[in-house]
Amino acid sequence: MLKPIVLWGHAMGPNPWKVVMVFKELSLPYEHKYLEIRDMQTPAYEKINPNGRVPAIEDPNTGINLWESGAIIQYLVHTYDKENRVSYSSSPEKFYMEQWLYFQTSGQGPYFGQSAWFNHYHPEMIKTAQDRYKEQVKRVYKVLDSHLVGRKYLVGDKCTVADISFITWFTMVPWMFGDELQALELESTYPNWFAWNERLMARDAIKKTLAEHEKADGRHGE
Amino acid sequence: MTSTLTPATMKPLVLYGSLLGPNPAKVGMVLRSLGLPFEIKEVGFGDVKKEPYVSVNPNGRLPSLYDPNSDITIWESGAIIEYVIETYDKDQKISFPHASKEDWECKQWLYLQVSGQGPYYGQAWWFQFHHPTPNPSALERYQNEVKRVSGVLNKHLTSKKFLVGDKLTYADISFVTWQKSAEKMLNKDGYEIGKEFENVGGWMERLRANEGVGSVLKEQSEGMAKMAEASAAAKKE
């Protein structure tokens, strides 16, 4: 019987929920500990993640503690997805899976994040910065859309953590763009992306995670 | 098949991108550290988002790596590095045994480099040198982040020579090129980032002394000098 893996997370932030999706896909027991941003800067949390960010995991089954969602996801599938339910462990698909994970963590997350920052949090409104990151966001949709022509999933012929890792930031886009969302015309401009996203959102583990996210987010700030 | 390949017997890898760019250079450093043969295929700025390169990398960015020994093409410097290490660093010259505790830590730091150092230092670079209109508050945001990340590295490197275990790994190497860019961006008017963050300064010196790292940095300096000369000559005409 596996002991629950501890996940340090945040009610709203998209990255920890990526890990929850993988936990659920692999039916892994976990304990979700929610932090506020200010908690992440404390000496106690710095011991867990010197970068002061979430997610981080502590796995009592192996004694391994990790931060950075990409590394965590690679660790989880290597350790617990022996049946390759949502992963590949053989070449070349395994390397393609890692490639898309690296694209998600370095090319989607940070750019969507800057878009969110300049749209919602930056102390002054800088239109040129907002436009820059909006273009970067659109570019990510375009890259995925063009790769998904004639494909159901990013790697091979099944859903893997490569696909799953992109979902949470896409769910943030309506909030990121507010009234400007309509003008992006996501479904018609990126039809392959759209079909793929719908396919992923229909998965049981994904639906359950998003429901949990919504519930936690609703209590956020209490 | 690949386990019998040695640097002497393997076909050279193909690295798309110039060693003047921080991300291709990162990969170059890992390849050089392992003594792996490779050739460089430069892709011009105006060509990255077009065919034939987008068939190599639909994301239209550099680097990408083609391995003729396995017929595999990988893009994303982090994924390239993991592929190269897993395929060609069987002796653990710059890595730890696959899926060991230290190996996971190396991947963790590599993910920090690609997602927390590169993109943020890159935005600082953008707002300092490329954004069409000056934006002091945006620039400040990213310069603060450069210092914050340097601080994280600095604290972790207290009484440590390298990021993981006691050995120079690909995790350390991966941070060099962007940390060097930080020096370019911030070292002026008497300020030196390597002095504010002394452990990072010492670590960079240690890494520069590594042949694989040092040779790429040398080529970068020479390449930059040539470009500066050419641009000065063009201005005269």
Side-chain angles (χ1 to χ4, degrees):
Chain A
M1 259 296 285
L2 283 178
K3 296 181 204 147
I5 300 171
V6 172
L7 168 69
W8 294 95
H10 184 262
M12 178 182 163
N15 298 317
W17 293 101
K18 251 191 277 185
V19 178
V20 174
M21 287 177 176
V22 177
F23 284 148
K24 288 197 187 306
E25 288 280 353
L26 298 177
S27 308
L28 292 173
Y30 65 97
E31 189 189 339
H32 200 158
K33 296 190 174 177
Y34 295 99
L35 295 174
E36 297 299 332
I37 307 280
R38 60 176 177 271
D39 301 325
M40 300 175 203
Q41 321 307 328
T42 60
Y45 188 68
E46 250 185 35
K47 284 202 176 76
I48 294 168
N49 182 353
N51 192 33
R53 296 276 182 280
V54 289
I57 60 160
E58 294 174 290
D59 185 349
N61 304 289
T62 57
I64 296 218
N65 303 334
L66 276 182
W67 37 275
E68 283 304 314
S69 61
I72 291 170
I73 290 171
Q74 284 188 211
Y75 163 77
L76 289 175
V77 295
H78 175 88
T79 311
Y80 296 110
D81 192 16
K82 302 296 188 190
E83 291 163 24
N84 293 123
R85 279 152 62 178
V86 285
S87 66
Y88 285 97
S89 45
S90 55
S91 179
E93 286 84 3
K94 168 190 143 89
F95 296 114
Y96 298 149
M97 186 185 81
E98 290 173 2
Q99 168 189 273
W100 288 100
L101 273 177
Y102 272 100
F103 176 52
Q104 187 283 310
T105 58
S106 72
Q108 184 206 32
Y111 289 93
F112 280 46
Q114 301 327 295
S115 181
W117 176 266
F118 284 103
N119 289 356
H120 288 287
Y121 296 121
H122 197 68
E124 51 167 333
M125 202 202 89
I126 306 178
K127 181 102 189 358
T128 57
Q130 289 174 335
D131 289 344
R132 166 176 167 74
Y133 295 109
K134 183 196 265 184
E135 285 313 301
Q136 292 300 315
V137 166
K138 285 160 72 176
R139 205 183 72 75
V140 171
Y141 278 99
K142 183 157 175 268
V143 170
L144 290 166
D145 188 66
S146 67
H147 179 75
L148 287 163
V149 171
R151 284 191 175 95
K152 286 182 95 178
Y153 299 105
L154 291 176
V155 182
D157 54 10
K158 72 183 180 211
C159 175
T160 66
V161 290
D163 305 272
I164 290 167
S165 69
F166 282 90
I167 300 170
T168 56
W169 270 110
F170 284 129
T171 66
M172 306 285 285
V173 168
W175 166 75
M176 277 156 59
F177 291 106
D179 293 334
E180 292 176 25
L181 179 70
Q182 284 262 61
L184 292 175
E185 292 179 321
L186 297 173
E187 185 179 345
S188 57
T189 317
Y190 313 109
N192 303 289
W193 167 84
F194 186 82
W196 168 76
N197 195 59
E198 293 287 287
R199 201 171 291 131
L200 298 175
M201 301 281 267
R203 295 176 71 84
D204 217 39
I206 306 308
K207 284 199 283 206
K208 291 204 167 96
T209 305
L210 294 176
E212 233 170 79
H213 189 174
E214 221 180 284
K215 193 161 163 224
D217 205 1
R219 294 178 45 229
H220 175 58
E222 279 176 21
Chain B
M1 178 190 77
T2 49
S3 56
T4 59
L5 286 175
T6 66
T9 62
M10 63 187 275
K11 295 182 203 150
L13 304 170
V14 178
L15 175 63
Y16 290 86
S18 144
L19 291 183
L20 294 184
N23 298 316
K26 202 195 311 181
V27 174
M29 287 174 178
V30 171
L31 298 176
R32 288 255 172 93
S33 297
L34 293 174
L36 298 176
F38 67 98
E39 60 185 64
I40 294 197
K41 247 196 174 112
E42 293 202 15
V43 182
F45 224 45
D47 298 324
V48 265
K49 301 272 196 291
K50 299 185 202 157
E51 294 296 0
Y53 186 66
V54 284
S55 287
V56 172
N57 179 349
N59 190 32
R61 297 183 92 198
L62 299 163
S64 299
L65 186 94
Y66 172 63
D67 183 352
N69 303 284
S70 60
D71 199 32
I72 288 179
T73 301
I74 306 272
W75 42 276
E76 283 303 316
S77 62
I80 293 171
I81 289 172
E82 284 211 39
Y83 169 78
V84 168
I85 293 294
E86 202 172 316
T87 312
Y88 294 109
D89 193 18
K90 304 288 190 190
D91 294 335
Q92 269 91 60
K93 272 178 77 178
I94 54 169
S95 64
F96 285 94
H98 185 61
S100 62
K101 177 168 172 285
E102 290 82 3
D103 186 40
W104 292 116
E105 287 173 24
C106 285
K107 290 177 203 285
Q108 165 190 273
W109 287 100
L110 180 56
Y111 267 102
L112 175 67
Q113 188 285 307
V114 303
S115 70
Q117 186 206 35
Y120 290 89
Y121 287 37
Q123 301 323 296
W125 191 273
W126 173 266
F127 284 102
Q128 183 162 341
F129 298 122
H130 295 293
H131 198 68
T133 54
N135 262 302
S137 71
L139 179 58
E140 195 186 343
R141 163 176 167 74
Y142 294 108
Q143 286 179 334
N144 286 343
E145 189 59 14
V146 169
K147 290 200 175 181
R148 190 195 71 80
V149 171
S150 300
V152 169
L153 292 166
N154 199 58
K155 197 158 181 194
H156 181 77
L157 287 164
T158 306
S159 51
K160 277 196 184 77
K161 287 178 101 181
F162 301 109
L163 291 174
V164 181
D166 228 340
K167 138 173 154 180
L168 189 155
T169 64
Y170 64 85
D172 303 276
I173 293 172
S174 72
F175 281 89
V176 173
T177 58
W178 277 107
Q179 203 59 32
K180 185 177 157 219
S181 303
E183 291 169 2
K184 269 217 172 74
M185 287 190 279
L186 297 177
N187 287 4
K188 54 181 171 221
D189 304 328
Y191 174 82
E192 276 183 56
I193 190 166
K195 290 236 159 76
E196 180 175 357
F197 303 104
E198 269 187 17
N199 300 322
V200 172
W203 174 63
M204 284 287 280
E205 281 315 300
R206 228 168 279 132
L207 291 169
R208 282 178 156 108
N210 169 277
E211 176 63 30
V213 172
S215 68
V216 172
L217 290 177
K218 186 159 174 275
E219 265 180 61
Q220 279 191 333
S221 299
E222 287 165 3
M224 295 296 197
K226 276 205 188 107
M227 269 175 65
E229 262 178 50
S231 139
K235 283 203 176 99
K236 285 200 182 122
E237 288 166 18

